[in-house]
Amino acid sequence: MNISNDMSPFSIYFSLNNGLSDTKPSLKRMLSQMRGMYADDTAYANQLAQADSLLYEFHELGIPESPGNLAFGTSIVYPGKVGNEYYMTKGHFHTILDTAEVYYCIGGQGLMLMESPEGDWAAEPFTPGRAVYVPGRYAHRSINTGHEPLITFYTFRADAGHDYGTIESKGFRNIVIERDGQPAIITNPKWA
Ligand code: ZN
């Protein structure tokens, strides 16, 4: 009998082709849920008037939020841009700031953009087979710079929590745009 937490052993399938589980629903993030997150507000409004596209989805399994548990799942960011800025996740700090996370890329091409409250930042590449370590204290955002879905598997301490509000109000210091057909990291003109 396990009295240390609320978990029993289990397994779950995530497709290596599209990242999705065959038994659990994903959480979907549409263009309309990313208002203000992209640098080009005009391009955002024009694209939203055309269609409310699916930008990314992820699996959140509801593992009980105790410090001995691990939360995990997959994240799928679809290819596309708002203006010249690539599709990306909203990004977040952890509520318990000093908690790390690991992402393992299953498919696609992209970047993990990270920054600390003190202004240290990094962008590590996502390519199939590459793992990215996000240290504690670093906000993190997945960005699809390729032409296929960017599929990653992630795991972090289950009680870490998500602080989306800081990024919603301040943004990241840098953004990733397409310039001459290549990803370029530039200063975010909207950074507060
Ligand atoms: Zn995280």
Side-chain angles (χ1 to χ4, degrees):
M1 187 170 65
N2 185 342
I3 56 168
S4 66
N5 59 39
D6 300 326
M7 300 301 297
S8 298
F10 73 100
S11 65
I12 179 171
Y13 172 80
F14 296 112
S15 169
L16 292 171
N17 294 316
N18 62 25
L20 296 170
S21 170
D22 57 348
T23 54
K24 298 282 187 184
S26 65
L27 294 172
K28 295 178 168 55
R29 292 290 177 264
M30 313 300 291
L31 183 61
S32 58
Q33 294 167 284
M34 294 289 280
R35 185 172 300 280
M37 305 304 293
Y38 286 93
D40 188 338
D41 288 316
T42 303
Y44 177 86
N46 289 340
Q47 285 179 229
L48 189 56
Q50 299 281 317
D52 190 9
S53 305
L54 175 63
L55 267 55
Y56 65 99
E57 55 189 311
F58 56 100
H59 283 286
E60 213 291 325
L61 301 178
I63 306 279
E65 295 181 2
S66 66
N69 286 346
L70 293 172
F72 70 96
T74 52
S75 164
I76 304 102
V77 184
Y78 293 99
K81 287 172 290 180
V82 174
N84 62 4
E85 189 175 359
Y86 295 103
Y87 281 2
M88 61 192 183
T89 62
K90 185 172 280 187
H92 58 269
F93 288 95
H94 291 163
T95 308
I96 301 176
L97 191 60
D98 195 14
T99 51
E101 184 159 356
V102 168
Y103 284 74
Y104 180 68
C105 183
I106 295 168
Q109 305 281 331
L111 292 169
M112 177 63 93
L113 184 63
M114 296 168 271
E115 71 173 46
S116 74
E118 293 76 25
D120 295 327
W121 68 273
E124 290 293 330
F126 276 135
T127 56
R130 181 165 288 271
V132 173
Y133 185 76
V134 180
R137 304 183 58 76
Y138 278 75
H140 36 289
R141 160 181 286 170
S142 302
I143 302 166
N144 187 339
T145 60
H147 302 286
E148 301 165 28
L150 173 64
I151 305 167
T152 55
F153 174 93
Y154 65 85
T155 187
F156 61 95
R157 212 176 87 179
D159 64 335
H162 291 94
D163 166 17
Y164 293 103
T166 302
I167 297 302
E168 285 172 344
S169 59
K170 289 173 65 79
F172 278 72
R173 286 172 167 78
N174 298 292
I175 61 173
V176 182
I177 63 166
E178 183 180 82
R179 178 187 282 161
D180 302 327
Q182 297 290 327
I185 301 170
I186 65 168
T187 300
N188 181 359
K190 293 172 89 178
W191 188 72

